[in-house]
Amino acid sequence: MQTLRIKSRSSDGVTEDPEGARSGSGRDLSPLLAGAATAIAAAGAVLALVNSASPLRGPSTLFFLLAAPAAALATALRGLDPFGRALTALAGAVVLDMLVAQGMLAVHRWSVRGGLIAVSALSLLLLLSILAREKARSRNEQKSE
């Protein structure tokens, strides 16, 4: 049997935790997890590019190949709820990886380094185009005001 704890609402509308746990920047792990994910992805890219024999090369590179396009796609999908955004971005990352692999197989130029560079370049191109579009949109909104 599981005990459910109910959070009570105070008079000023702030939700209080009955156990008195802090909520705020002291307990927020999002920046820490984002930094750790970036470090793992960067390590995977570097290990694959230098052709290291480390046992962490495979999992870290796979994480990079999923995380880089997913981060770029998640930037484009800011309007979705977090779960839908993550699921769609991950599916798009798999599609991008498969398209790069299919393209390399079609032209008989299979290369781990080439695939990694192609996925990195496409992810960076997607991210930069999204950021440029948003910057242009904000500039146009400022001019119309």
Side-chain angles (χ1 to χ4, degrees), residues 22-44:
R22 287 185 354 201
S23 63
S25 63
R27 302 289 271 178
D28 191 17
L29 293 178
S30 296
L32 180 65
L33 292 175
T38 303
I40 291 170

Side-chain angles (χ1 to χ4, degrees), residues 37-95:
T38 303
I40 291 170
V46 169
L47 288 173
L49 288 174
V50 299
N51 203 14
S52 173
S54 171
L56 296 176
R57 175 184 171 193
S60 299
T61 304
L62 179 63
F63 182 74
F64 174 79
L65 288 173
L66 290 174
L73 289 169
T75 304
L77 302 172
R78 289 190 179 158
L80 294 177
D81 65 312
F83 180 72
R85 183 177 169 186
L87 188 63
T88 306
L90 187 61
V94 170
V95 167

